[in-house]
Amino acid sequence: MVNFAIQNVLIAAGDDYATVDVQIVDDKIAAISPNLQVIGTAIDGKNKLLLPGFFNAHTHSSEMWQRGIMSVFPLELWLAELYDFAPLDPEQVYLSALGTAVETLLSGGTSVVDHLVLIPGLELETIAIATRAYREVGIRAFIAPLIQDESLTAGMPSGESAQTHEPYFRSAAATLEIIEEAVRQFHRPDEGVNILVAPTGIQLCTDALFQGCTELSDRYNLCRHSHLLETRAQEKLAEEKYGCTAVEHLKRIGYLSNKTSLAHCVWLNDADIAILAETESTVVHNPLSNLRLGSGIAPILKYRQAGVNVTFGCDGASSNDSQDLLEAIKMGSILHNVTDSDYQHWITPRQAVEMASLGGAKGLNIADKLGSLTVGKQADLVLFDLTNLSLLPRTDPIGLLVLGRPTNVVDSAWVNGKQIVANGKITTINVDELRQELFNRSQWETKRKSETVAQIEAHYRTVMGL
């Protein structure tokens, strides 16, 4: 364990700022006050802003290999095209997890929730590889293996046409066995690696899979993570499958809880919102992918007014094409200024920072350990350089950070008291080598529509009345 003190650093204090020392002892925040005794290493915090680390609360690391190339499609067609790419190999999983961690850290995130795509037949190996990558970088990892037990075509409403779907290659029971074994092998919260149960969503999962995940969650005290009602097509599908909304159904089968985080949540009604508040479920707002895929604008201001916890995610790097968490926070804040004319409901920069930090911790049921500069909490911290050109001239530091276009502003970052960014550079891995590997294993290319995608597109246009 390394003890240190950050001296003369700026922190948020109520509606203002204060210049203090922050003392870290045994990987936890031990004291916050001016003129503290230095125990261990002294770190100069002058002209820097200290914040709790943010959470990249929903992403898919392996999608890095398709960023910039995916067609301008709605989600259902985008997914068909994504499935049409050559399958992943283990080295790609490793490199993209490294890249996701680095981009998250350099935009203020110290934790990542990776809804990890599994290589068929190599599911445990995929989880092991991602775990190794995140351990090497040092970011706090919440690995949520993406699982389903229905085929891709089952993810769209049938409309008036009778649809038959190929059975999925792996049963719900077999999938649950894999996840339970993953928990035994890799779930090490004290070491910064957590396994979540993570059915992809109602569109590709049976009740048996959801209920099996709930049982595993209860047995091993695991958090739960899923997509929920990202698109209008999923709203239609839920009505076909259940005769009620997806939220009503998930409540009925016991999936919603204070350990449940739900990505997107674009197409919910007022009764659904009340259920999320009642069950203390968390919404992960992914504004950039929702815009990129034309999914819609999630009613985030309604969630907040109803008392629903909300945090931010980048989503996968081929539905957003970036893992810049500060960009997601900015867009996820100011986007809603056009959804409610009452400006008193709009998200302020300080509220956005709290959503990105404490909101993320609440969504993973660890707000007692992370998410704020509080004595006794673990030292997941980020130091921002206030002399950086994109944070000048000197006005409101948090306002500049959230509302501006900050670049290269992370000076230092610590996870559980260990420094993994210093002077703006990752200290734990060679980022130049990573960049070269990503370049060498890819090539400039364009994407052509396959016959399979064309068939799915024809059905989509029919059922959506296009």
Side-chain angles (χ1 to χ4, degrees):
M1 294 181 180
V2 178
N3 300 329
F4 60 96
I6 306 171
Q7 297 181 297
N8 301 310
V9 72
L10 202 66
I11 65 168
D15 294 330
D16 203 352
Y17 294 92
T19 299
V20 298
D21 297 346
V22 178
Q23 190 180 82
I24 309 301
V25 177
D26 295 338
D27 306 330
K28 291 184 173 60
I29 300 171
I32 302 173
S33 181
N35 305 313
L36 289 173
Q37 176 187 359
V38 174
I39 299 176
T41 305
I43 294 171
D44 185 6
K46 187 178 180 181
N47 297 322
K48 296 182 177 69
L49 172 69
L50 185 68
L51 291 175
F54 301 148
F55 287 73
N56 185 355
H58 176 71
T59 190
H60 307 279
S61 63
S62 62
E63 286 181 15
M64 178 174 285
W65 296 97
Q66 287 83 37
R67 65 178 175 184
I69 195 175
M70 299 296 292
S71 299
V72 181
F73 268 157
L75 174 75
E76 286 72 21
L77 304 184
W78 173 91
L79 270 176
E81 187 173 272
L82 186 68
Y83 274 54
D84 206 36
F85 273 94
L88 289 167
D89 65 47
E91 184 66 12
Q92 287 178 309
V93 171
Y94 173 69
L95 293 172
S96 55
L98 291 178
T100 296
V102 168
E103 289 191 87
T104 296
L105 283 161
L106 295 181
S107 56
T110 53
S111 294
V112 60
V113 178
D114 187 356
H115 210 175
L116 181 68
V117 177
L118 304 178
I119 301 173
L122 296 174
E123 292 85 359
L124 290 170
E125 290 86 344
T126 307
I127 298 168
I129 290 163
T131 298
R132 176 165 66 92
Y134 289 132
R135 280 184 178 275
E136 286 179 11
V137 177
I139 198 168
R140 194 178 295 275
F142 297 84
I143 297 175
L146 189 151
I147 53 175
Q148 65 192 74
D149 61 343
E150 294 187 297
S151 60
L152 179 64
T153 56
M156 280 197 290
S158 298
E160 297 180 0
S161 60
Q163 297 288 313
T164 57
H165 310 291
E166 291 291 324
Y168 195 62
F169 77 95
R170 189 178 57 227
S171 70
T175 298
L176 291 166
E177 287 178 7
I178 290 169
I179 300 305
E180 185 166 17
E181 183 58 31
V183 173
R184 293 193 189 103
Q185 290 189 30
F186 307 114
H187 185 58
R188 302 289 185 273
D190 292 343
E191 299 173 18
V193 177
N194 304 263
I195 300 296
L196 281 61
V197 293
T200 183
I202 63 101
Q203 67 277 14
L204 294 174
C205 299
T206 65
D207 285 356
L209 189 59
F210 272 110
Q211 290 170 319
C213 284
T214 300
E215 194 276 329
L216 286 176
S217 167
D218 292 341
R219 189 190 317 164
Y220 293 103
N221 192 29
L222 308 173
C223 286
R224 312 167 190 175
H225 187 68
S226 298
H227 301 96
L228 178 64
L229 293 178
E230 187 172 353
T231 66
R232 187 178 287 278
Q234 290 175 9
E235 181 188 38
K236 289 175 175 284
L237 177 65
E239 185 63 35
E240 282 186 4
K241 286 180 75 169
Y242 311 127
C244 64
T245 72
V247 176
E248 289 177 287
H249 187 73
L250 290 179
K251 180 189 177 186
R252 187 180 301 150
I253 64 174
Y255 189 74
L256 303 180
S257 77
N258 64 349
K259 295 189 293 187
T260 304
S261 59
L262 302 160
H264 303 292
C265 297
V266 177
W267 295 98
L268 276 65
N269 61 34
D270 290 346
D272 294 334
I273 294 172
I275 290 172
L276 293 190
E278 173 196 341
T279 58
E280 300 181 38
S281 301
T282 288
V283 170
V284 183
H285 187 26
N286 301 273
L288 291 157
S289 66
N290 292 160
L291 294 173
R292 164 82 153 87
L293 302 176
S295 300
I297 299 175
I300 296 303
L301 301 185
K302 283 188 174 184
Y303 292 133
R304 286 174 50 79
Q305 291 170 60
V308 176
N309 182 50
V310 181
T311 189
F312 299 104
C314 289
D315 206 358
S318 64
S319 62
N320 169 359
D321 306 273
S322 167
Q323 292 296 294
D324 187 331
L325 194 48
L326 286 169
E327 182 183 40
I329 293 167
K330 175 179 180 175
M331 181 61 73
S333 303
I334 65 174
L335 177 63
H336 305 284
N337 296 0
V338 301
T339 67
D340 188 333
S341 59
D342 188 346
Y343 54 87
Q344 292 186 339
H345 296 154
W346 296 356
I347 298 169
T348 68
R350 289 190 182 226
Q351 288 170 337
V353 163
E354 185 175 22
M355 291 163 67
S357 51
L358 188 59
K362 287 179 179 177
L364 294 161
N365 206 29
I366 48 172
D368 60 327
K369 297 176 181 174
L370 293 171
S372 63
L373 297 181
T374 303
V375 171
K377 288 196 175 183
Q378 293 173 350
D380 285 22
L381 308 170
V382 179
L383 202 58
F384 295 92
D385 179 8
L386 298 179
T387 69
N388 184 282
L389 183 60
S390 60
L391 294 180
L392 291 172
R394 290 189 290 174
T395 56
D396 178 2
I398 291 178
L400 286 164
L401 191 69
V402 173
L403 298 176
R405 184 65 177 92
T407 56
N408 304 317
V409 294
V410 172
D411 175 88
S412 302
W414 295 263
V415 174
N416 203 30
K418 179 184 178 183
Q419 188 165 16
I420 53 180
V421 180
N423 300 315
K425 305 290 185 184
I426 303 289
T427 62
T428 48
I429 65 167
N430 189 321
V431 175
D432 288 336
E433 288 183 2
L434 170 62
R435 185 166 54 241
Q436 191 63 52
E437 282 294 319
L438 287 167
F439 184 86
N440 290 344
R441 287 184 59 88
S442 55
Q443 61 183 4
W444 311 121
E445 59 180 314
T446 56
K447 181 69 180 167
R448 293 182 175 85
K449 189 185 300 182
S450 71
E451 184 178 339
T452 300
V453 173
Q455 290 172 349
I456 293 174
E457 182 177 11
H459 175 69
Y460 177 86
R461 293 187 64 82
T462 298
V463 298
M464 298 305 294
L466 300 174

